[in-house]
Amino acid sequence: MAAPIIELQQVNKWYGEFHVLKNINLSVARGERIVICGPSGSGKSTMIRCINRLEEHQRGHIIVDGTELTNDLKNIEAIRREVGMVFQHFNLFPHLTVLENLTLGPIWVLKKPKAEAEATAMKYLERVRIPEQAKKYPGQLSGGQQQRVAIARSLCMNPKIMLFDEPTSALDPEMVKEVLDVMIQLAEEGGMTMLCVTHEMGFAKAVAHRVIFMDRGEIVEQNKPDEFFANPQNERTKLFLSQILH
Amino acid sequence: MSSVSESLPPPTTATGPVAWVRDKLFSSPLNTVLTLLSVWLLLMTLPPLVEWGLINAHFTAATSAECRASPGACWAFIGQKYRFILFGIYPYDEQWRPLLAAIILTSLIVVSCMRRFWKPRLVGIWAVGLTLVGILMWGGVFGLTYVENTNWGGLPLTLILATFGVAFAFPLGVLLALGRRSRMPAIKTICVVYIELIRGVPLISLLFMSSVMLPLFLPEGFTIDKLLRAQIAIIMFAAAYIAEVVRGGLQAIPKGQYEGADSLGLSYWQKMGLVILPQALKIVIPPMVSLFIAVFKDTSLVVIIGIFDLMNATKTSLVDPAWRGFSIEAYLFISAIYFVFCYSMSKYSQQLEKQLATGHKR
Ligand SMILES: Nc1ncnc2c1ncn2[C@@H]1O[C@H](COP(=O)(O)OP(=O)(O)O)[C@@H](O)[C@H]1O
Ligand SMILES: [Mg+2]
């Protein structure tokens, strides 16, 4: 079996006294798609944010694509080039146009020529179905459109791994589908390793290879989606599923 | 009465001068009182002002005696002294040079205000412009006679102090603001101490220190020019305030912007330069321009260490025994000059704010 692209070994993290991640072990294969769910405050965001070092873990090891995350800035920047992230609140740059948002990383980080970066950006804008918005500012777009721009912005960096942190939970209900469609399309193209924190169970069933349930800083249970939903083992998982599936 | 279902006409919106007066000036009892009070104030002050400044005024007079004959303003005084007020003790026959320098400095500022010049070559334009200003003011080359900077004065000197002051203080202030938010304790401490020390001291005492105390610390025989010392004091002073203004802007930028930039793999300087500072500086345009206006006016404090800026030149013009006692005219004149510069800055900042709005604050 090929080496995992992401490896978390005995990862622990505290906020002050508060133990937010407890002995997390996780191994993600190349091209694997994982959905992470769990109650609010269970440490889902913290865990995936540790993978691109938006948060620092204090114990254990995190190895991404063969490079261990340490305080070494060069390593961190190298890993961030490989790892795209989509946030709940989009985090687009409001002072730049959509096109400029998409080309900023490729031009400054990947040192691509402007014309090439713009061509790539337009390609991805078409993939997320909003090429006509290229010259607009993020503030002029709907939430769903902004999130699709954010996905395109990450894809423009040609990452090996994509992290999604509740990408649809800040959206009005009628916009959730347009964003999920883009994510499903991305999954179906294959090849991309995806870690997605979401409570969209339809999405999990459609594309995930594995569903992980977190509670109180621990990975409580993980399984294939069919098994996970049909046969939850742990009491906490059952309780959680009964709450979100009504 | 006609049928109930008949729709009501839209409310009448009267227009025209009468309606305007009623809406804007007499819409409420308080408003009416304020309007009447303002009219009364204007009636009390305007006629005597017009009488003094225009009707009874002397626009030309060969001697001050002519002016004194009647109670009006003596604008002839300005006619006599404007060269001295504007250029100080710069050699009279060479005063086209500071005039040209002042025009170049003003143009540099105006050009920098236009967004289509916001390109790397702006730095080049500044380098050329400032070199020209230096050549013109000092001379000593191209057949221009050498003029020591102790003889500089008036408006060009004020412009030089303010322009160089802001041009150097701005980047320094931005660095201090970033340093103050740095996670490296040493850098953070240095920046905090610097900012708080400078802000705890009035500019006057900084100017005094730079002119009186600094030479004490310097090794024997090593002197820095008086004008340069004043300039450094102004830069150091302005930088501390700029740092605090910029810090305010940085604090207003949401954490998500930093994370968005980080997640793309941008380095610290790229993140700050491309994502954070453009937004932070945009937010602080109004206080920043107020600060620039304050710096421009504060340069007049160099009076106290004997530098002949616009203010000092004006003061000195008043001591000519032949033309004594026209201080109102003189100060009105330079107030007008200060006002033109400051008001333009403030107007410009309003425009810039509008231009930079990208519709994200819905
Ligand atoms: N910067 C922080 N400082 C202190 N506590 C934090 C911080 N960020 C998150 N937490 C706490 O850590 C816990 C886990 O947060 P998070 O990973 O965001 O949970 P989730 O994404 O599963 O809802 C929460 O209880 C939250 O209050
Ligand atoms: Mg979360």
Coordinates of all heavy atoms in Angstrom, one line a residue, chain B residues 10 13 66 83 155 176 182 226 231 233 237 239 266 272 306 328 347 350:
Chain B
P10 N -50.4 60.0 -4.3 CA -49.1 59.9 -3.6 C -48.9 61.2 -2.8 O -49.4 62.3 -3.2 CB -48.1 59.8 -4.8 CG -48.7 60.4 -6.0 CD -50.2 60.1 -5.8
T13 N -44.7 65.9 -3.0 CA -43.3 66.3 -2.7 C -43.1 67.6 -3.4 O -42.7 67.6 -4.6 CB -42.3 65.2 -3.2 OG1 -42.7 64.9 -4.5 CG2 -42.4 64.0 -2.3
E66 N 0.1 105.8 4.2 CA -1.1 105.8 3.3 C -2.2 104.9 3.9 O -3.4 105.2 4.0 CB -0.8 105.4 1.9 CG -0.5 106.6 1.0 CD -0.2 106.1 -0.4 OE1 -1.0 105.4 -1.0 OE2 1.0 106.2 -0.8
R83 N 6.9 88.3 -1.1 CA 8.1 87.6 -1.5 C 8.9 87.1 -0.3 O 9.4 86.0 -0.2 CB 9.1 88.5 -2.3 CG 8.5 88.9 -3.7 CD 8.8 87.9 -4.7 NE 10.2 87.6 -5.1 CZ 10.8 88.1 -6.2 NH1 10.1 88.8 -7.0 NH2 12.0 87.9 -6.4
L155 N 7.4 79.2 2.2 CA 6.5 78.1 1.8 C 7.3 76.8 1.3 O 7.0 75.7 1.7 CB 5.6 78.6 0.7 CG 4.6 77.5 0.1 CD1 3.6 77.1 1.3 CD2 3.7 78.1 -1.0
L176 N 6.3 50.2 12.2 CA 6.1 50.2 13.7 C 4.8 49.5 14.0 O 4.7 48.8 15.0 CB 6.1 51.6 14.2 CG 7.5 52.3 14.3 CD1 7.4 53.8 14.5 CD2 8.3 51.7 15.5
S182 N 3.6 42.3 16.2 CA 4.5 41.1 16.0 C 4.4 40.1 17.1 O 4.1 40.4 18.3 CB 5.9 41.5 15.8 OG 6.8 40.4 15.9
K226 N 21.1 71.7 11.2 CA 19.9 72.1 12.0 C 18.6 71.7 11.3 O 17.7 71.1 11.9 CB 19.9 73.6 12.3 CG 18.7 74.1 13.1 CD 19.0 75.4 13.7 CE 18.6 76.5 12.8 NZ 18.7 77.9 13.4
Q231 N 14.0 68.0 10.7 CA 13.3 67.1 9.8 C 13.2 65.7 10.4 O 12.2 65.1 10.4 CB 14.1 67.0 8.4 CG 13.4 66.1 7.4 CD 12.1 66.7 6.9 OE1 12.1 67.5 6.0 NE2 11.0 66.2 7.4
A233 N 13.3 65.0 13.6 CA 12.3 65.1 14.7 C 10.9 65.0 14.2 O 10.1 64.3 14.8 CB 12.5 66.4 15.5
F237 N 8.4 61.9 15.1 CA 7.1 62.3 15.7 C 5.9 61.7 14.9 O 5.1 61.0 15.4 CB 7.0 63.8 15.8 CG 5.8 64.3 16.5 CD1 5.7 64.2 17.9 CD2 4.7 64.8 15.8 CE1 4.6 64.7 18.6 CE2 3.6 65.3 16.5 CZ 3.6 65.2 17.9
A239 N 5.8 59.4 12.7 CA 5.8 58.0 12.5 C 5.1 57.3 13.7 O 4.3 56.3 13.5 CB 7.3 57.4 12.5
L266 N 1.0 32.3 1.2 CA 1.7 33.6 1.1 C 2.6 33.7 2.3 O 2.3 33.3 3.4 CB 0.7 34.7 1.1 CG -0.3 34.9 -0.1 CD1 -1.3 36.0 0.2 CD2 0.5 35.1 -1.4
M272 N 0.9 40.6 4.3 CA 0.7 42.0 4.8 C 0.6 42.9 3.6 O -0.3 43.8 3.6 CB 1.9 42.4 5.7 CG 1.9 41.7 7.0 SD 0.3 42.0 7.9 CE 0.4 40.9 9.2
G306 N 14.2 78.5 15.2 CA 14.8 79.5 14.3 C 14.9 79.1 12.9 O 15.8 79.5 12.2
I328 N -2.8 91.3 11.2 CA -4.0 90.6 10.8 C -3.9 90.3 9.4 O -4.2 89.1 9.0 CB -5.2 91.5 11.1 CG1 -5.3 91.9 12.6 CG2 -6.5 90.9 10.6 CD1 -6.5 92.8 12.9
K347 N -10.5 67.2 1.0 CA -11.4 66.9 -0.2 C -10.9 65.7 -0.9 O -11.7 64.8 -1.3 CB -11.3 68.1 -1.2 CG -12.4 69.1 -0.9 CD -13.7 68.5 -1.4 CE -14.9 69.2 -0.6 NZ -16.0 68.5 -0.3
Q350 N -11.8 62.4 0.8 CA -13.2 62.0 0.7 C -13.4 61.3 -0.7 O -14.0 60.3 -0.8 CB -14.1 63.2 0.7 CG -14.2 63.8 2.1 CD -14.9 65.2 2.2 OE1 -15.4 65.6 1.2 NE2 -14.8 65.8 3.3

